[in-house]
Amino acid sequence: MEIDATPIGLNARSTPGTYSGAFDAVRARFAAASGLAAGHFSFNTKQGQCPTCKGLGSLDLDVQYLPDITVDCPACHGARFTGETLAVRVDGLTIADVLELTVADALGRYAGVPAIARPLRPIADVGLGYLRLGEPTPALSGGESQRLRIAARLRSSQRDVLYVLDEPSTGLHPVDIGTLVGVFDRLLDDGATILVIDHDLDLLAAADHVIDLGPAGGPGGGRIVAQGTPDEVATDPASVTGPYLRGSRASS
Ligand SMILES: [Zn+2]
């Protein structure tokens, strides 16, 4: 599994709700309650999507000589659906309201609906509970995209799985590094192997084995200067990273 930081999906039709599969269960719930087909509650079908913006909620204005301008759809005002679909409320919400819920909100609201809660739980577990169900995944940061990919894998067996991650700590708050380490521990417990390329000292300190490449960057590096447990690398005089790792472990 190469968990890279490239965007997930090509356009606003890919969201945490659709990517996780939770939105399928939401649509089924709306269909059962209203008597309409599940397709009426998709912004990807003709039955459900606003005909003006084709379910995107916004329009790209192609103005000559100017960069593209994106405006809210004047017909649905960003709600993405037809008027008929938006007239349906289930548990007090329209389908557009559900897409505005964060993953954390949806977990609370649908705690008793396993088909919705089960696919959303791993997204909260990787520290992405603040994402809205309808948030376009191509707009997520590289770190968020990597963690959403990990979340999608958390429900599968980890036997014989090797993960390769390139700087997953990028843009993460120190508190979220702890969340990420917790997710890694869970994957390891389930049988996975994880190879991470990173510079974050908390992440290095949590590793079973550290390979320190250097001694400098670019053409001045590329050789293994130290390797072993974090304690061994921290005390290896050949390692440039060692003193920093030692300082980090002393303070934590
Ligand atoms: Zn529209």
Side-chain angles (χ1 to χ4, degrees), residues 50-59 73-81:
C50 162
T52 304
C53 63
K54 303 277 189 287
L56 286 173
S58 60
L59 297 175
C73 170
C76 67
H77 305 287
R80 312 177 73 158
F81 295 93

Side-chain angles (χ1 to χ4, degrees), residues 51-252:
T52 304
C53 63
K54 303 277 189 287
L56 286 173
S58 60
L59 297 175
D60 285 331
L61 297 187
D62 186 10
V63 185
Q64 214 172 0
Y65 309 122
L66 291 177
D68 280 358
I69 301 170
T70 303
V71 295
D72 254 13
C73 170
C76 67
H77 305 287
R80 312 177 73 158
F81 295 93
T82 66
E84 182 190 19
T85 292
L86 292 172
V88 176
R89 284 179 182 271
V90 178
D91 311 318
L93 302 180
T94 68
I95 192 80
D97 293 334
V98 174
L99 288 172
E100 287 296 312
L101 293 175
T102 65
V103 169
D105 289 342
L107 276 171
R109 183 173 272 271
Y110 298 111
V113 188
I116 299 174
R118 205 182 304 118
L120 293 179
R121 170 62 57 194
I123 301 179
D125 287 347
V126 298
L128 296 176
Y130 58 86
L131 294 181
R132 286 178 295 106
L133 294 192
E135 197 153 335
T137 53
L140 300 181
S141 76
E144 288 171 330
S145 298
Q146 289 197 74
R147 281 181 289 150
L148 192 56
R149 285 193 169 94
I150 295 172
R153 293 287 310 180
L154 275 179
R155 296 172 64 205
S156 320
S157 164
Q158 305 303 329
R159 279 175 60 91
D160 304 324
V161 178
L162 165 66
Y163 288 90
V164 181
L165 294 106
D166 189 1
E167 302 210 10
S169 73
T170 304
L172 284 188
H173 187 274
V175 173
D176 292 327
I177 298 283
T179 303
L180 188 64
V181 169
V183 169
F184 287 167
D185 284 343
R186 188 168 146 190
L187 293 170
L188 293 168
D189 286 345
D190 289 345
T193 300
I194 303 176
L195 177 66
V196 176
I197 302 150
D198 217 299
H199 303 95
D200 183 87
L201 294 171
D202 291 333
L203 206 50
L204 295 184
D208 293 319
H209 190 87
V210 176
I211 300 171
D212 186 7
L213 291 171
R223 292 195 303 278
I224 296 175
V225 293
Q227 64 173 316
T229 64
D231 277 334
E232 287 165 352
V233 171
T235 52
D236 190 326
S239 172
V240 179
T241 311
Y244 298 97
L245 197 52
R246 206 154 58 230
S248 160
R249 288 168 76 71
S251 64
S252 63

